[in-house]
Amino acid sequence: MSDHVPELPAYQSPFDPPGVHWQRVDPVLIKVRLVGTALAMLPALAGIAIAAAATGQTWLWIALAVVAALVVWRLLLIPRMVRAIGYVERADDLLIRKGLLFRNLTVVPYGRMQYVDVTAGPIARRFKIAAVQLHTAAVGTDASIPGLPEAEANRLRDKLASRGQARLAGL
Amino acid sequence: MTEPDVQAPEELTWRRMHPITPLVRGWTVVLIFLFLIANQTIESFSATGRLDAGDATGNLPVLIIVAIIFGVFVITGIYSWLAWRKMAFAIDDDAVYYRSGILFRQQRKARLDRLQAVDTVQPVAARLFGLCELKVEVAGGAAGSAVKIGLLRLEEGHQVRNEILARAAGIQAPHQSDQAGHPGGNQIYAEAPELEVITVPPRNLVGSIIRSGSFWILVAATAAFVTTWIVTGSAQFLVVFVPFAIGFGGYVIGQLFSNFDHTVASSADGIRLRSGMLEKRAQTVPPGRVQALKFTQPLLWRRKQWWSVTMNVAGYGISTDTSDQSRTTLVPVGSGQDAVTAAWLVLPDLGVEDPGAFITDLLAGTYAELSVTTSPRAARILDPWTWSRNGFLVTDTAVIVVSGRWRRKITFVPHARTQSIGVSQGPIERLRGLVDVALHSVPGPAVPVVTHLDMAVAAQFTDEQAARARQAREIVRPDRWMERTSE
């Protein structure tokens, strides 16, 4: 070993580990989530609107306005939230970062992965993206990467499964 | 993993359980049926005043009632005999197999290299007949996926448990390949000798229950009820009081009964726990299966310096069975010395020079001397009283998380048992530059979370912990703990 010890990177934020280059997910996820939210909230909005128009009471109109405002706020947030999702495969573990206001980072070691799922709902399948979900023995491990193109999702699943197998260390 | 509908290997010897197993397991159904019939009879009796009227109001004559009861017994008997014939279990070197079911065949398989714990339980009904039930917990199963080998005679139950533990440990059973056709059936497996290390005297148990919040809530509610009764002269608040008393009183009495005569022993099989007054329970947790350890001290126990020790074991935390609630209790109430012993049982190598003194200092709370990294002053606005009592400490083999000022908690997580790490931050924490770091572990009472850490400190901890966990995983002992690695 040489005498010159390389300077350790200064630790600043746990959400930006040193030497990590975050990979983004497919922006088509924005569309998928927008469509999903709209479809979910449409019946509620329509119901309140019909009730308000039929009975003409003021508080129903106010309720309609409030719910509509919440839905619009939610829809406006979606693009920013999707852009905040990042993941990176390191040598021994996988890092997943999510969230804007409530930020979240999960570090999942390959040797602890019990199994890996690839799931896609109907709207996601239409846009040809899928979510990769990792499971460890802990229930609280929220390690899912949504919005990956199908080929990439399958490649990631296979790579994680083989890395997990190689480093599998019991429970 | 327990996987339903698996094909068991062909050369297994299937063993039967005790014939009254389906009866004892299904007695509640019969009881409900009889209760319904009795209810109907009583109603008809109170309506007409006569038992034998078979008139147009739809009451059944007493003969038909007797015939129905007899029919119920006969049908139950036939069903239980058929069910008993179909129930069987088998053990080989790789797994425990269990099959049952008349119409819907069910087969379960529990792999022995994923064994987490083996319990022998004697519920009250089974204890009357001298029988016991075996529960085999394996990793990777959902709730209720434990293989339950139902009622065996007590001696046979212990034999089967010893055999499962011996095979899971990797002790090679001497194969009788020269004998024709009876592999393993006649082998007597000895119980590994054990050394009793912790006992809980009933006086301490009762004292600890008296010093619990639930007990005092119950006393206060009873006093309030009695006062209102005396003052108002009517017992109308009984309606409110009775469910309350049943809830809290049931919890208090349940704690007393299930932790009665609790002993902890150490053996080559692992940690042995025995407890129970009405329902006796003997648990065996093989070495290395405890995922996390937690010491708790409620405020009322501080004068007595008592601690309660609980643990996370894969498969124990997620059970929905009511009899499984106290399985994670390693020591329901113990002194500081008992806590030190419990830590030694679970973590023989704590990574410090003097584990006894180290743990005693932790219990005493002298965090500054131990150089525990606590929340920074910036966390004062979020944790005004506990900011200096929340923190973590890293030794060579474990992470220790401390929290709480009045209700104190100390959690140990071995490096080799860290599953994943989660870092989270809300908007207020972001303003103060704080994060929460959670060391994910299997479901159970120990939840190692360090709240409100400084961001730079948390970044360093997360990075270093990932590296330490990886190193610890590489030197972990094999799953079959008695296996000779040279062969």
Side-chain angles (χ1 to χ4, degrees):
Chain A
M1 289 281 273
S2 70
D3 289 327
H4 170 67
V5 178
E7 200 174 283
L8 286 169
Y11 290 102
Q12 281 177 328
S13 161
F15 298 104
D16 289 311
V20 150
H21 177 67
W22 294 101
Q23 271 180 284
R24 302 264 168 252
V25 296
D26 196 336
V28 121
L29 182 65
I30 301 176
K31 279 193 213 135
V32 170
R33 287 204 170 163
L34 285 174
V35 170
T37 313
L39 281 179
M41 298 310 295
L42 209 58
L45 278 176
I48 300 180
I50 290 174
T55 58
Q57 296 185 356
T58 352
W59 69 272
L60 278 173
W61 288 112
I62 296 176
L64 182 65
V66 165
V67 172
L70 284 172
V71 170
V72 166
W73 181 64
R74 189 77 198 269
L75 291 174
L76 284 175
L77 269 184
I78 284 179
R80 292 189 62 198
M81 282 181 78
V82 167
R83 270 181 240 126
I85 302 176
Y87 68 99
V88 61
E89 297 169 68
R90 295 205 296 193
D92 295 298
D93 43 35
L94 180 73
L95 281 86
I96 304 173
R97 188 172 97 159
K98 284 188 197 171
L100 282 173
L101 207 56
F102 291 88
R103 294 203 284 181
N104 227 308
L105 171 82
T106 314
V107 179
V108 188
Y110 296 132
R112 288 279 177 237
M113 286 180 202
Q114 301 292 323
Y115 54 101
V116 184
D117 275 341
V118 173
T119 55
I123 307 174
R125 259 180 272 141
R126 192 80 202 281
F127 285 91
K128 303 237 185 327
I129 59 172
V132 172
Q133 183 139 28
L134 302 108
H135 294 265
T136 62
V139 159
T141 308
D142 169 32
S144 67
I145 311 174
L148 294 170
E150 274 173 0
E152 168 74 7
N154 287 331
R155 180 203 72 85
L156 190 61
R157 180 198 54 200
D158 294 335
K159 190 146 156 229
L160 290 175
S162 71
R163 274 189 177 174
Q165 199 63 30
R167 290 169 173 70
L168 191 60
L171 189 59
Chain B
M1 293 265 211
T2 54
E3 300 138 23
D5 302 327
V6 291
Q7 288 307 316
E10 300 309 320
E11 8 24 77
L12 285 179
T13 18
W14 289 95
R15 297 186 240 180
R16 290 255 160 79
M17 293 166 243
H18 200 275
I20 64 168
T21 301
L23 271 177
V24 174
R25 277 190 175 170
W27 65 282
T28 42
V29 176
V30 176
L31 214 60
I32 289 173
F33 201 76
L34 288 176
F35 174 73
L36 288 174
I37 293 186
N39 208 11
Q40 234 244 351
T41 317
I42 291 174
E43 272 176 18
S44 73
F45 181 68
S46 57
T48 64
R50 294 158 56 183
L51 267 180
D52 55 358
D55 55 25
T57 57
N59 298 321
L60 299 167
V62 66
L63 225 58
I64 296 198
I65 292 176
V66 168
I68 289 180
I69 293 181
F70 184 69
V72 164
F73 274 122
V74 166
I75 292 178
T76 315
I78 293 179
Y79 167 77
S80 64
W81 181 73
L82 285 174
W84 171 76
R85 281 199 48 171
K86 285 296 172 196
M87 282 178 167
F89 71 97
I91 308 172
D92 72 356
D93 278 337
D94 289 324
V96 176
Y97 305 89
Y98 176 81
R99 70 173 184 212
S100 68
I102 309 173
L103 287 174
F104 298 98
R105 298 277 173 83
Q106 191 194 41
Q107 245 194 12
R108 275 195 179 166
K109 170 180 164 183
R111 286 176 48 182
L112 284 178
D113 58 359
R114 296 199 172 263
L115 183 75
Q116 297 298 306
V118 183
D119 302 347
T120 49
V121 182
Q122 289 190 283
V124 185
R127 206 168 150 197
L128 289 173
F129 297 100
L131 303 172
C132 71
E133 187 183 39
L134 230 66
K135 277 190 197 163
V136 180
E137 295 281 355
V138 286
S145 69
V147 171
K148 287 187 221 182
I149 299 180
L151 306 178
L152 303 165
R153 270 171 298 114
L154 194 58
E155 258 314 302
E156 194 183 344
H158 285 156
Q159 277 293 303
V160 173
R161 181 195 63 187
N162 297 342
E163 181 178 350
I164 291 177
L165 285 167
R167 294 213 193 209
I171 296 175
Q172 296 297 334
H175 278 289
Q176 299 97 327
S177 51
D178 43 355
Q179 294 180 19
H182 299 290
N186 307 328
Q187 182 74 15
I188 301 290
Y189 285 87
E191 188 167 309
E194 66 181 42
L195 174 69
E196 209 170 79
V197 287
I198 302 176
T199 56
V200 178
R203 205 184 61 215
N204 284 5
L205 184 64
V206 171
S208 76
I209 291 176
I210 289 177
R211 283 175 179 75
S212 69
S214 314
F215 180 78
W216 287 105
I217 292 178
L218 190 62
V219 165
T222 315
F225 168 68
V226 168
T227 318
T228 55
W229 194 4
I230 293 176
V231 164
T232 62
S234 73
Q236 64 200 11
F237 291 104
L238 201 66
V239 162
V240 169
F241 175 69
V242 163
F244 196 82
I246 289 179
F248 277 91
Y251 172 75
V252 166
I253 293 186
Q255 287 286 93
L256 179 67
F257 279 15
S258 66
N259 288 329
F260 193 76
D261 217 7
H262 188 99
T263 53
V264 182
S266 161
S267 75
D269 277 341
I271 305 174
R272 289 249 178 85
L273 304 165
R274 287 180 222 280
S275 62
M277 191 194 291
L278 290 181
E279 176 184 285
K280 279 196 180 288
R281 199 173 61 230
Q283 299 164 240
T284 310
V285 181
R289 290 341 191 232
V290 177
Q291 306 285 327
L293 189 71
K294 174 171 153 182
F295 295 163
T296 315
Q297 187 184 57
L299 180 63
L300 293 170
W301 292 8
R302 192 174 290 194
R303 265 192 72 195
K304 285 276 193 174
Q305 294 182 331
W306 280 339
W307 290 82
S308 98
V309 183
T310 48
M311 58 185 179
N312 281 6
V313 175
Y316 271 7
I318 49 177
S319 173
T320 47
D321 218 341
T322 44
S323 67
D324 290 343
Q325 296 311 326
S326 350
R327 288 199 297 177
T328 50
T329 311
L330 187 56
V331 184
V333 55
S335 64
Q337 185 54 41
D338 289 337
V340 172
T341 313
W344 164 77
L345 272 178
V346 169
L347 287 167
D349 177 18
L350 197 53
V352 292
E353 297 99 39
D354 189 356
F358 176 73
I359 295 181
T360 313
D361 283 340
L362 268 180
L363 298 179
T366 53
Y367 294 157
E369 281 175 24
L370 294 166
S371 53
V372 169
T373 314
T374 62
S375 305
R377 287 194 90 88
R380 263 178 82 173
I381 199 166
L382 291 167
D383 290 329
W385 295 286
T386 54
W387 68 272
S388 64
R389 314 296 289 172
N390 277 353
F392 71 95
L393 179 61
V394 178
T395 69
D396 286 338
T397 51
V399 175
I400 302 164
V401 176
V402 297
S403 68
R405 179 184 279 274
W406 291 298
R407 186 185 175 88
R408 294 184 54 204
K409 291 181 212 165
I410 302 173
T411 311
F412 296 76
V413 183
H415 293 319
R417 304 274 156 243
T418 312
Q419 300 294 320
S420 51
I421 305 175
V423 180
S424 62
Q425 185 186 53
I428 302 179
E429 286 176 306
R430 199 151 160 192
L431 288 173
R432 309 293 298 174
L434 306 166
V435 291
D436 296 345
V437 178
L439 295 162
H440 295 141
S441 178
V442 296
V447 180
V449 176
V450 193
T451 48
H452 304 144
L453 272 184
D454 182 52
M455 277 176 85
V457 169
Q460 186 176 9
F461 173 68
T462 311
D463 216 30
E464 288 175 356
Q465 184 60 22
R468 280 190 290 256
R470 179 180 53 81
Q471 280 170 349
R473 277 198 297 275
E474 279 157 19
I475 53 171
V476 76
R477 66 164 67 178
D479 277 333
R480 300 202 184 241
W481 59 95
M482 299 279 256
E483 209 169 43
R484 289 188 204 128
T485 48
S486 57
E487 298 194 293

